[in-house]
């Protein structure tokens, strides 16, 4: 007997190709994707950090930290941001400061990197699924060589932090007569904070951050060098290492793009800060000529998502404030400790605009073709980031009531995991604190990764191809 058929020739028992497949009854629950695991991992570390910072042992005598302030501080540390509602040195005890230091290290290296290192120490085998998660965390193109890359990341991080801590310790001990023990403690803390682009400091609120060292060439080179190194990304550092060992090794397109874009941003940023602040008596105007240039350079470096500042933020001119906002939004480079939309994203957007204006059919950078999907991803990331900043800014203006300039600056600083502020962070309302800490979290995880993590459905093969039709643009 013939089986009945549908109008398109399918038998009644055949599945409809347009029908979304359903999970069979009794099937095991769907495993979280790598993006969801990363998002949950960061959230878990934040919760643990909040609990530790809520302990009375984490506070200075006579001080008390609310649960919301502990959550804000833990989020800022794990997301390597540096925005603080209370002065770190005056509020937290040595135990609390060490908790913050540990959160910075975990947040900078990444949850999966730290988990992998621990697993290797206890002799656990790293599964293929775990390699996929590490690939997502470090922004790599292939899961091959992930364990080797994790070991390299840990080695490079330790080397930079040890070098920075040694130089800062000796300089503060010899040049500023700081007791050796205190100099060593501060040297380690600020080296870790700088390389991980965190921006937490241990100086009092009278002259916070690095304002007392404005224009100091040694502090600029050491702290600024750590910030730039961490912001370049471990992929670029590994590529540069191969180049130093093998002269014939050619840097990848990614590395060349990061290095060129970073150099351009530092040069343009330094120039704009110098122009904006040169005659400002509250910032560069009171410094000698050589220190003016060093301070201008440092201020161009720190929006790369570090959060240290040598110039009093509330005294900056409008030009410098706008320059800082743009640099914070761009941030550092992929696969590193920095935030923002990243240097490669901006480079791809500029190259796409140039190709469109010239009428090119392909996107070409440094004699290499870039896939259209990569350019589309850069555009999606920029749009999501701009949308997030706009939405949070509107919420802040609605519930927090600070001036537009300071609010935009605060939101972009949180998204870029920078930590700079025009002074409104301690004055935030509870709603404002929640909005900012959520923005820091989204900025550290990455808006694109977070969007994927919040999407339940995976990619499905396209069964239909629709007719093409043009849309007017411009």
């Amino acid at each position: 007997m013939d089986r009945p058929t549908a109008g398109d020739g399918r038998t009644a028992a055949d599945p409809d190709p347009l029908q979304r497949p359903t999970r069979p009854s009794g099937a095991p629950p769907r495993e979280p994707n790598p993006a969801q695991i990363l998002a949950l991992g960061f959230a878990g570390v934040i919760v643990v950090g909040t609990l530790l910072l809520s302990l009375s042992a984490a506070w200075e005598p006579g001080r008390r930290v609310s649960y919301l302030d502990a959550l804000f501080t833990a989020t800022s540390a794990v997301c390597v941001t540096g925005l603080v509602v209370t002065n770190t040195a005056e509020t937290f005890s040595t135990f609390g400061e060490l908790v913050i230091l540990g959160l910075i290290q975990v947040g900078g290296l990444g949850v999966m990197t730290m988990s992998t290192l621990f697993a290797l120490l206890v002799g656990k085998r790293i599964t293929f699924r775990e390699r996929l998660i590490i690939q997502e965390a470090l922004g790599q193109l292939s899961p091959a060589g992930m364990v080797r890359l994790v070991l390299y990341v840990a080695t490079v991080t330790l080397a930079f932090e040890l070098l920075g801590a040694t130089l800062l310790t000796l300089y503060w001990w010899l040049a500023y007569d700081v007791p050796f023990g205190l100099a060593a403690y501060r040297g380690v803390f600020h080296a870790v904070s700088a390389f991980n682009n965190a921006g937490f400091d241990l100086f009092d609120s009278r002259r916070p951050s690095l304002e007392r060292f404005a224009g100091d060439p040694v502090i600029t080179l050491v702290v600024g060098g750590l910030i730039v190194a961490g912001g370049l990304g471990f992929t670029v550092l590994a590529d540069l290492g191969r180049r130093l060992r093998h002269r014939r090794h050619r840097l990848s397109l990614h590395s060349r793009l990061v290095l060129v874009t970073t150099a351009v941003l530092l040069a343009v940023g330094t120039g704009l800060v110098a122009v904006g602040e040169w005659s400002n008596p509250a910032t560069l105007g009171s410094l000698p000529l050589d220190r003016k240039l060093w301070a201008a350079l440092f201020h161009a470096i720190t929006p790369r998502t570090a959060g240290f500042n040598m110039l009093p933020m509330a005294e900056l001119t409008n030009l410098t404030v706008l320059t800082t906002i743009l640099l914070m939004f761009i941030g550092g480079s992929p696969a590193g400790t920095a935030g923002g939309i990243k240097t490669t994203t901006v480079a791809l957007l500029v190259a796409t605009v140039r190709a469109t204006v010239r009428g090119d059919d392909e996107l070409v950078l440094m004699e290499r073709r870039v896939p259209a999907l990569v350019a589309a991803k850069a555009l999606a990331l920029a749009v999501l980031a701009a949308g997030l900043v706009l939405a949070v800014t509107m919420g802040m203006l609605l519930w927090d009531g600070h001036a537009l300039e300071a609010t935009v600056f605060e939101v972009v600083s949180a998204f870029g995991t920078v930590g700079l502020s025009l002074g409104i962070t301690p004055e935030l309302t509870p709603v404002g604190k929640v909005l900012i800490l959520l923005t820091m979290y989204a900025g550290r995880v990455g808006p694109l990764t977070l969007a994927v993590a919040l999407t339940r459905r995976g990619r499905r093969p396209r069964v239909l191809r629709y007719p093409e039709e043009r849309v007017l643009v411009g």
Side-chain angles (χ1 to χ4, degrees), residues 160 164 168 190-191 194-195 197 210 216-232 262 266 294 297-304 306 308 310:
F160 271 103
L168 289 175
H190 291 90
F195 183 76
N197 282 209
L210 302 179
D216 187 311
V218 175
I219 299 298
T220 300
L221 289 174
V222 175
V223 177
L226 290 172
I227 294 169
V228 172
L232 286 177
T262 298
L266 289 179
W294 286 116
L297 172 62
F298 189 86
H299 194 85
I301 291 174
T302 194
R304 306 303 310 285
F308 291 111
M310 286 184 172

Side-chain angles (χ1 to χ4, degrees), residues 38-108:
L38 288 176
L40 291 173
F42 275 106
V45 176
I46 289 171
V47 170
V48 172
T50 301
L51 295 175
L52 291 174
L53 292 178
S54 298
L55 299 175
S56 58
W59 315 331
E60 285 285 358
R63 293 278 186 166
R64 177 173 175 77
V65 178
S66 68
Y67 287 110
L68 180 57
D69 287 350
L71 174 62
F72 190 98
T73 304
T75 304
S76 184
V78 173
C79 298
V80 289
T81 304
L83 286 174
V84 291
V85 289
T86 58
N87 182 273
T88 304
E90 296 172 348
T91 303
F92 293 98
S93 65
T94 301
F95 171 74
E97 292 169 358
L98 291 176
V99 169
I100 292 173
L101 187 65
L103 295 176
I104 291 172
Q105 190 69 85
V106 173

